[in-house]
């Protein structure tokens, strides 16, 4: 359903209906996403985002204090989308013989998300293609949060399979390596899309990850 617009004098440009920042933010993120993918971070201004969203620049700043803040939230959203299915599948792996299938499914889902919007993941992996230091710091912090989330998802199927005193350390290792393997797969798919599909690369990554855990008694 299209958003209603407020009435305006004849001949004047219609104004977007008033929405609070919380309702407006997702719409602005959608518009900004398209512009960042098309033009890159540096070449996209807040003025252009406002025009594309059909709002004034003060409305944009009421939602996001700066372009860097807007971009950081956009990265958060895209990272959550990329990892959501992976984390759910990982947490659901309750049997040893599920693990390779689960990791393969998770990596394949991640790679399919990349092929849907490849430029978005170039942005996420490269920190915005010339984005400022604040965003670079945000990318590093975001990666730490992703490792923690993957470690937490992996912990249930480590219980009883490694010595109890090693569960936390191995869970952290699993989080780091899964994310590192996934990021390497994303980069490979972006660099050589004619050599891999999400399915073939997902299977290869799943096998690599699972067999790497044999030394820890995980698989």
């Amino acid at each position: 359903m299209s958003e209603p617009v407020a009435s305006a004098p004849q001949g004047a440009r219609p104004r977007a209906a008033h929405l609070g920042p919380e309702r407006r933010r997702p719409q602005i993120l959608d518009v900004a996403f398209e512009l960042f993918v098309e033009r890159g971070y540096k070449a996209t201004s807040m003025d252009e985002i406002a025009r594309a969203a059909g709002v004034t620049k003060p409305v944009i700043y009421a939602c996001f204090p700066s372009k860097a803040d807007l971009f950081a939230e956009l990265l958060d959203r895209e990272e959550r989308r990329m990892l959501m299915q992976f984390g759910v599948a990982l947490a659901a792996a309750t049997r040893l013989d599920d693990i390779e299938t689960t990791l393969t499914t998770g990596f394949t889902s991640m790679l399919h998300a990349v092929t849907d919007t490849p430029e978005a993941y170039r942005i996420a992996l490269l920190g915005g293609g010339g984005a400022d230091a604040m965003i670079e710091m945000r990318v590093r912090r975001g990666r730490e949060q992703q490792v923690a989330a993957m470690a937490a998802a992996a912990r249930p199927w480590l219980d009883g399979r490694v010595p109890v005193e090693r569960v936390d350390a191995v869970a952290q290792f699993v989080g780091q390596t899964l994310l590192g393997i996934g990021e390497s797969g994303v980069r490979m798919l972006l660099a050589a899309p004619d050599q891999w599909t999400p399915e073939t690369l997902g299977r290869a990554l799943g096998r690599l990850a699972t067999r790497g855990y044999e030394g820890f008694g995980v698989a």
Side-chain angles (χ1 to χ4, degrees), residues 26-36 44 48-54 77:
Q27 298 176 356
I28 293 172
L29 287 174
D30 287 340
V31 170
F33 175 88
E34 297 295 334
L35 291 175
F36 285 138
T44 301
E48 290 172 318
I49 294 171
R51 283 196 297 273
R77 189 180 76 169

Side-chain angles (χ1 to χ4, degrees), residues 36 46 56 61 87 110 115 140 181 203 205:
F36 285 138
M46 293 292 263
T56 63
Y61 281 112
M110 178 185 291
T115 57
R140 288 194 293 272
I181 290 169
R203 284 195 298 271
L205 296 177

Side-chain angles (χ1 to χ4, degrees), residues 64-215:
F64 302 99
S66 69
K67 186 171 75 166
D69 288 303
L70 188 160
F71 190 79
E73 184 157 335
L74 186 59
L75 284 181
D76 279 335
R77 189 180 76 169
E78 294 308 306
E79 288 165 354
R80 286 194 300 270
R81 287 175 56 189
M82 184 170 69
L83 293 170
M84 180 177 64
Q85 290 179 320
F86 194 108
V88 169
L90 185 61
T94 56
R95 304 196 318 269
L96 284 175
D97 58 359
D98 282 341
I99 293 176
E100 183 168 337
T101 298
T102 297
L103 293 181
T104 296
T105 299
F107 285 127
T108 301
S109 296
M110 178 185 291
L111 296 170
H112 269 297
V114 173
T115 57
D116 289 341
T117 52
E119 291 301 325
Y121 292 99
R122 285 195 179 94
I123 289 173
L125 286 171
L126 299 177
D132 62 23
M134 173 185 169
I135 292 177
E136 299 297 340
M137 290 177 59
R138 154 62 194 74
V139 170
R140 288 194 293 272
R141 186 172 68 249
R143 192 182 191 285
E144 293 170 1
Q145 293 169 347
Q146 293 165 30
V147 168
M150 285 192 143
R155 201 183 191 286
W157 51 263
L158 293 173
D159 288 333
R161 296 167 185 162
V162 297
V164 63
E165 69 273 12
R166 295 289 297 158
V167 168
D168 288 339
V170 175
Q172 182 72 9
F173 172 81
V174 170
Q176 289 277 5
T177 54
L178 286 181
L179 187 59
I181 290 169
E183 289 174 341
S184 296
V186 169
R187 288 186 172 93
M188 186 178 301
L189 192 64
L190 292 172
D194 55 331
Q195 297 178 22
W196 296 95
T197 67
E199 286 76 17
T200 58
L201 187 52
R203 284 195 298 271
L205 296 177
R207 287 195 300 270
L208 173 66
T210 304
R211 296 171 192 184
Y213 297 142
E214 289 177 356

